[in-house]
Amino acid sequence: MADYDMEAAVRTFFSCPRFAVAGASSDPRKFGHKIFAWYLLHSLPATPLNPRTATIEALSSTYPATSTPSALSIPSEYALSIITPPKVTLPLLKEAKEVGIEAVWLQPGTFDDEVMEYARREFKAAIGGMEGKKKLTGSEGEGWCVLVDGEWGMGLAGRKDDGEKL
């Protein structure tokens, strides 16, 4: 996928009105917690997805969790940030596609080649991997991650930290 326009994908992702975080966790040591908290700290409307718990605790508050993408209210309004193992990610992506989600962000460690190929083929925007990262952001790290690249992406989409459009 050498021609994939990652900058356009990131802009599309952050242009969505709402965000869901698959793999959200109440455990502050886990990336599912850190990434969900990142959305909250940036005043972005975020819903935790976790089929194993009814609530997620983050930043001294409790948030109702949704079990799956199909359980979101108006799923097509959401961009989906994924923090799940690759074997869980592919079925999750298939469900997200089925319910009309158009933009996904595959955090490092959540995908293999099959998962990434599916995401790039089936979604309007699919962020993940290493492609274009150094050229666009000046760093590579472990690949595209909301914790590292999210503020840059918000700026591309014209979003301020309060979640409002500029």
Side-chain angles (χ1 to χ4, degrees):
M1 299 257 172
D3 298 5
Y4 196 78
D5 187 345
M6 194 63 74
E7 187 171 340
V10 172
R11 185 179 303 108
T12 297
F13 183 88
F14 278 111
S15 294
C16 290
R18 301 177 191 193
F19 301 88
V21 180
S25 170
S26 293
D27 185 342
R29 297 170 296 180
K30 296 192 173 216
F31 280 103
H33 178 86
K34 293 173 184 178
I35 290 172
F36 179 60
W38 183 91
Y39 284 97
L40 299 175
L41 287 168
H42 289 82
S43 301
L44 296 170
T47 300
L49 264 65
N50 189 318
R52 295 187 182 119
T53 185
T55 61
I56 297 293
E57 293 180 24
L59 305 178
S60 302
S61 293
T62 301
Y63 299 87
T66 300
S67 59
T68 65
S70 59
L72 292 166
S73 65
I74 317 172
S76 61
E77 291 186 359
Y78 284 82
L80 179 62
S81 191
I82 300 173
I83 310 97
T84 59
K87 67 179 181 174
V88 174
T89 302
L90 187 57
L92 182 67
L93 288 175
K94 289 179 178 180
E95 182 181 343
K97 174 70 177 168
E98 197 173 284
V99 299
I101 291 173
E102 294 185 343
V104 295
W105 192 308
L106 299 146
Q107 304 300 324
T110 65
F111 59 89
D112 54 24
D113 289 343
E114 178 187 12
V115 170
M116 187 57 72
E117 287 171 17
Y118 177 85
R120 296 263 173 92
R121 182 179 66 244
E122 298 296 331
F123 291 89
K124 183 176 179 181
I127 298 101
M130 299 296 288
E131 187 173 335
K133 182 155 170 45
K134 186 163 182 116
K135 178 182 172 191
L136 292 171
T137 67
S139 69
E140 287 182 301
E142 294 182 30
W144 290 97
C145 179
V146 165
L147 298 176
V148 175
D149 306 305
E151 289 177 11
W152 173 79
M154 286 175 63
L156 282 178
R159 269 200 130 102
K160 296 186 296 182
D161 268 4
D162 62 2
E164 296 296 317
K165 298 292 272 178
L166 291 174

